[in-house]
Amino acid sequence: MMVPAALMLLGALTAVVAPRLLARAEWPDREPVVALWMWQCVVVAVLLCCALSMTLSAAAAWAAVRGHVFAPAPHEVVEAYALSTGHPWAATTAVALACGGLWTAAMLVREIVRARRRRRQRRTELLVRAPLLPGEEPGSDRLVVLEGERADAWWLPGTAPQLVITTAALRRLKGRQLDAVLAHEQGHARARHDWLLHCSAALANGFPQVPVFAAFRDEMHRLVELAADDMASRRFGRLTIALALVGLNEDRGVFGPCPTPEAHVPQRVNRLLTAPDRLTAARRLRLTAAAALVPVIPLLVAFVPGLRALG
């Protein structure tokens, strides 16, 4: 019965140590795609620890569950986990973790429903501000221009994704800067960054007392923008996308001394202009492989007693 406790301890240790190590590392800003992968693996490992601990705790608490979980396993494997000795806290642990899993699923569903509602609302507002011409099909144009005095551009996802840009932004963006903004937003769409943001928001909103989930949400918002900046800069250059960011945000006070909700924009511009060197391909491969091994550790902890019993 030590395995469920070891899994919970491993999950807590991963949730505490991994974010601190990533916060101290200097490479995430240089390789945001690798950092995104690393964060996902860390969160998956934490969730996997909880799921495996819940399963084994339920198997220890109820013989019916134990019969289903270890149905194809020989008797020696079941004995190796020492689940039949009776533990009064096993049922409480299993129920608490199961409730946490259901709550996580409910938060994810709520986040997706809210995102779809916001998307429908923005499409409705878009049709009001830019009505369709006679014979024009909804979503037929990937670029929609709106009259507006504020420079702005955003990607509207969906079955017919569109880039919406205001006339003020068109006046500010020069040369290939508009193409760079389009490439940036298309990078978000191709990498399905919206799903990362939904999942991280669901975990952070569902468990606000868990620091690793709050850090996961904050880093997802930051890293997806850096990754999209890199995708655009590879096609149009770092200076082009940096000037486009300045043009879209200079009237919002983000480059002033007072903090704003878009305070990350100056950091993105500075990163693009200083052009940090990328990591070598070998180091990127090592970091990717190391991240992939993080979720494997809970599986090893869970299956090692059974594998030992099999000889």
Side-chain angles (χ1 to χ4, degrees), residues 19 39 210-220:
W39 269 102
V210 182
V212 65
F213 295 148
F216 180 50
R217 176 194 55 195
D218 296 341
E219 284 298 290
M220 289 303 99

Side-chain angles (χ1 to χ4, degrees), residues 2-153:
M2 291 299 296
V3 178
L7 286 168
M8 290 300 297
L9 181 61
L10 176 62
L13 187 65
T14 304
V16 171
V17 174
R20 293 183 180 180
L21 293 178
L22 287 171
R24 293 176 183 175
E26 49 82 24
W27 60 265
D29 284 359
R30 298 165 63 184
E31 295 294 342
V33 175
V34 179
L36 284 170
W37 169 247
M38 181 76 76
W39 269 102
Q40 291 175 74
C41 290
V42 167
V43 173
V44 167
V46 173
L47 296 178
L48 196 56
C49 286
C50 295
L52 291 172
S53 180
M54 177 196 69
T55 303
L56 292 176
S57 296
W62 299 290
V65 176
R66 185 160 60 248
H68 287 291
V69 172
F70 293 93
H75 180 71
E76 293 79 6
V77 172
V78 181
E79 290 298 322
Y81 287 91
L83 299 176
S84 58
T85 55
H87 296 274
W89 51 267
T92 304
T93 302
V95 170
L97 291 174
C99 290
L102 292 174
W103 181 248
T104 301
M107 290 297 100
L108 181 58
V109 171
R110 187 184 72 168
E111 183 66 27
I112 294 174
V113 169
R114 286 181 174 180
R116 289 182 175 177
R117 186 184 301 123
R118 289 193 299 266
R119 190 183 308 164
R120 287 195 299 268
Q121 183 179 357
R122 298 192 79 171
R123 286 194 180 277
T124 302
E125 294 173 354
L126 182 62
L127 287 175
V128 172
R129 297 181 62 184
L132 297 176
L133 298 175
E136 186 179 3
E137 295 293 332
S140 58
D141 294 326
R142 293 178 65 84
L143 179 63
V144 179
V145 180
L146 293 180
E147 286 286 344
E149 296 300 322
R150 182 179 183 180
D152 203 358

Side-chain angles (χ1 to χ4, degrees), residues 264-285:
H264 63 280
V265 175
Q267 300 171 5
R268 289 166 57 194
V269 173
N270 182 66
R271 172 181 176 272
L272 288 165
L273 295 178
T274 54
D277 294 331
R278 296 192 65 189
L279 302 180
T280 63
R283 188 177 179 191
R284 291 200 301 270
L285 182 61

